[in-house]
């Protein structure tokens, strides 16, 4: 199947890992994603149904709006991708409009605009919940019309929810498959979590997620696949899983000198919790990860 790009730029997006993830995911009636993000796994798999969740209400409201009113949304969003809106003054005025608005449709339009015009495609909020990513200064931000159309069409198979990841696990039933792509564990003690919503994702939440995955696998016979950085902490949390390591070329910081390959981990807990070789060396693959979608 042809690989499909997400219409949003997204830190930790899974476009380049989609093939590797698809090879590990088992068949099932429905794929549940408690951390859907930009939706690359959704876009590049073929389940009959999807339950797509994220804790960020702006993201989920955009997806629901696009599903309900695809043509109207795409036409209105296109009007924001013109030279007049690609200036610092226009960006900060529209960012202020977004932060002041409580209208779901208006916020959905502006969320796409801010994502494509903001610095590095970041999604970041301050402690008060205000979107605070600076202007990106791109020559001509790309309007992802084809990507929006594909997402809208495929969303007929999807239900979108905005709730804690624990609730997504409660919704899972035998015959479903769960894929979890949480905010990653930091690579070093000084690194920080990327804040996809108004708050971060703590180590305690990482541990709770691993516990939920093991419980679903062993006692509810629901297979669960998780992605994370390949760190000692991750391997400890995911003890008993089938592990696959991937070397991913990623830009670790804004400093070009620190751009290097990073080890990522796929941890698979099969239905029934049975792992044939829990202590086996994980398989490895090399994935080159470039810049985000255009």
């Amino acid at each position: 199947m042809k690989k499909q790009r997400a219409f949003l730029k997204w830190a930790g997006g899974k476009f380049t890992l989609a093939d590797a993830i698809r090879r590990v995911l088992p068949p099932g009636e429905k794929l549940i994603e408690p951390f859907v993000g930009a939706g690359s796994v959704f876009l590049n798999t073929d389940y009959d149904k999807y339950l797509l969740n994220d804790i960020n209400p702006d993201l989920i409201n955009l997806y629901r709006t696009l599903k309900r009113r695809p043509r109207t949304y795409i036409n209105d969003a296109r009007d924001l991708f013109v030279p007049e809106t690609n200036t610092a003054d226009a960006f900060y005025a529209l960012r202020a409009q977004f932060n002041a608005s409580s209208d779901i449709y208006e916020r959905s339009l502006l969320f796409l605009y801010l994502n494509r015009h903001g610095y590095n495609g970041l999604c970041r909020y301050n402690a008060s919940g205000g979107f605070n990513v600076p202007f990106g200064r791109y020559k001509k931000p790309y309007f992802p019309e084809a990507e929006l159309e594909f997402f809208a069409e495929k969303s007929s198979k999807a239900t979108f929810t905005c709730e804690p990841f624990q609730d997504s696990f409660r919704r899972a039933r035998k015959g479903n498959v769960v894929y979890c792509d949480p905010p990653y564990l930091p690579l070093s003690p000084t690194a920080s979590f990327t804040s996809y919503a108004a708050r971060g994702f703590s180590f305690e939440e990482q541990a709770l997620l691993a516990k939920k995955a093991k419980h679903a696998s062993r006692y509810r016979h629901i297979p669960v696949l998780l992605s994370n950085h390949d760190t000692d902490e991750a391997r400890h949390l995911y003890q008993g899983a089938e592990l696959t390591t991937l070397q991913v070329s990623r830009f670790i910081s804004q400093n070009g000198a620190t751009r290097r390959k990073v080890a990522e981990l796929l941890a698979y807990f099969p239905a029934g919790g049975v792992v044939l070789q829990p202590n086996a060396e994980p398989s490895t693959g090399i994935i080159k990860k470039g810049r985000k979608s255009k």
Side-chain angles (χ1 to χ4, degrees), residues 187-218:
L187 285 168
S188 69
T190 57
S192 61
F193 292 107
T194 301
S195 180
Y196 296 101
R199 64 183 190 84
F201 197 76
S202 67
F203 184 81
E204 288 72 23
E205 288 170 302
Q206 297 275 1
L208 178 60
L209 174 60
K211 181 179 179 181
K212 293 288 184 183
K214 293 176 184 179
H215 183 272
S217 164
R218 182 171 183 179

Side-chain angles (χ1 to χ4, degrees), residues 124-229:
R124 189 183 66 198
Y125 299 80
N126 60 28
S128 302
F131 192 90
N132 65 354
V133 175
F135 182 49
R137 300 187 183 280
Y138 299 109
K139 185 176 181 180
K140 186 179 180 181
Y142 172 69
F143 180 60
E145 183 162 1
E147 292 86 346
L148 285 162
E149 290 175 343
F150 186 88
F151 191 104
E153 182 178 356
K154 189 164 185 180
S155 67
S156 63
K157 293 183 173 185
T159 298
F160 298 101
T161 58
C162 183
E163 58 193 16
F165 68 84
Q166 301 94 309
D167 293 349
S168 297
F169 274 89
R170 292 189 190 102
R171 293 176 183 268
R173 298 292 182 266
K174 190 173 181 180
N176 297 169
V177 178
V178 180
Y179 169 63
C180 297
D181 183 31
Y184 277 13
L185 286 157
L187 285 168
S188 69
T190 57
S192 61
F193 292 107
T194 301
S195 180
Y196 296 101
R199 64 183 190 84
F201 197 76
S202 67
F203 184 81
E204 288 72 23
E205 288 170 302
Q206 297 275 1
L208 178 60
L209 174 60
K211 181 179 179 181
K212 293 288 184 183
K214 293 176 184 179
H215 183 272
S217 164
R218 182 171 183 179
Y219 298 107
R220 302 178 65 201
H221 292 261
I222 298 169
V224 182
L225 177 66
L226 304 99
S227 301
N228 218 310
H229 281 140

Side-chain angles (χ1 to χ4, degrees), residues 31-287:
L31 180 66
I32 297 176
E33 293 195 58
F35 309 87
V36 67
S40 288
V41 173
F42 159 61
L43 294 169
N44 290 286
T45 51
D46 190 22
Y47 290 86
D48 290 337
K49 296 180 181 179
Y50 293 85
L51 176 65
L52 305 177
N53 179 75
D54 203 277
I55 199 64
N56 185 329
D58 290 318
L59 182 68
I60 295 303
N61 284 333
L62 189 165
Y63 291 161
R64 288 171 173 166
T65 298
L66 182 60
K67 178 181 178 179
R68 287 195 302 262
R69 306 170 61 184
R71 183 44 52 194
T72 300
Y73 179 86
I74 292 171
N75 287 338
D76 289 345
R78 189 187 298 108
D79 292 339
L80 291 169
F81 286 72
V82 294
E84 291 78 12
T85 60
N86 192 30
T87 67
D89 287 346
F91 177 86
Y92 290 115
L94 288 169
R95 192 181 74 174
Q97 181 179 334
F98 173 83
N99 286 330
S101 177
S102 59
D103 182 87
I104 289 176
Y105 186 72
E106 180 181 43
R107 286 181 69 91
S108 295
L109 290 172
L110 291 171
F111 189 77
L112 175 61
Y113 164 83
L114 293 171
N115 174 266
R116 285 284 172 176
H117 290 75
Y119 180 75
N120 228 20
L122 293 174
C123 181
R124 189 183 66 198
Y125 299 80
N126 60 28
S128 302
F131 192 90
N132 65 354
V133 175
F135 182 49
R137 300 187 183 280
Y138 299 109
K139 185 176 181 180
K140 186 179 180 181
Y142 172 69
F143 180 60
E145 183 162 1
E147 292 86 346
L148 285 162
E149 290 175 343
F150 186 88
F151 191 104
E153 182 178 356
K154 189 164 185 180
S155 67
S156 63
K157 293 183 173 185
T159 298
F160 298 101
T161 58
C162 183
E163 58 193 16
F165 68 84
Q166 301 94 309
D167 293 349
S168 297
F169 274 89
R170 292 189 190 102
R171 293 176 183 268
R173 298 292 182 266
K174 190 173 181 180
N176 297 169
V177 178
V178 180
Y179 169 63
C180 297
D181 183 31
Y184 277 13
L185 286 157
L187 285 168
S188 69
T190 57
S192 61
F193 292 107
T194 301
S195 180
Y196 296 101
R199 64 183 190 84
F201 197 76
S202 67
F203 184 81
E204 288 72 23
E205 288 170 302
Q206 297 275 1
L208 178 60
L209 174 60
K211 181 179 179 181
K212 293 288 184 183
K214 293 176 184 179
H215 183 272
S217 164
R218 182 171 183 179
Y219 298 107
R220 302 178 65 201
H221 292 261
I222 298 169
V224 182
L225 177 66
L226 304 99
S227 301
N228 218 310
H229 281 140
D230 188 358
T231 65
D232 290 341
E233 290 83 1
R235 285 176 176 262
H236 175 73
L237 288 174
Y238 303 151
Q239 281 183 343
E242 298 174 359
L243 302 179
T244 301
T245 58
L246 301 166
Q247 294 294 324
V248 182
S249 292
R250 175 181 293 152
F251 302 126
I252 300 303
S253 75
Q254 298 170 28
N255 182 351
T258 60
R259 293 174 184 175
R260 58 182 175 81
K261 285 181 179 162
V262 179
E264 295 208 7
L265 195 66
L266 296 178
Y268 177 57
F269 293 96
V274 178
V275 179
L276 296 178
Q277 296 176 295
N279 298 316
E281 285 296 315
S283 61
T284 59
I286 303 296
I287 304 290

Side-chain angles (χ1 to χ4, degrees), residues 11-26:
K14 291 295 177 287
F15 176 76
T16 54
L17 293 178
D19 289 339
I21 291 168
R22 190 170 57 237
R23 283 194 291 269
V24 179
L25 284 172

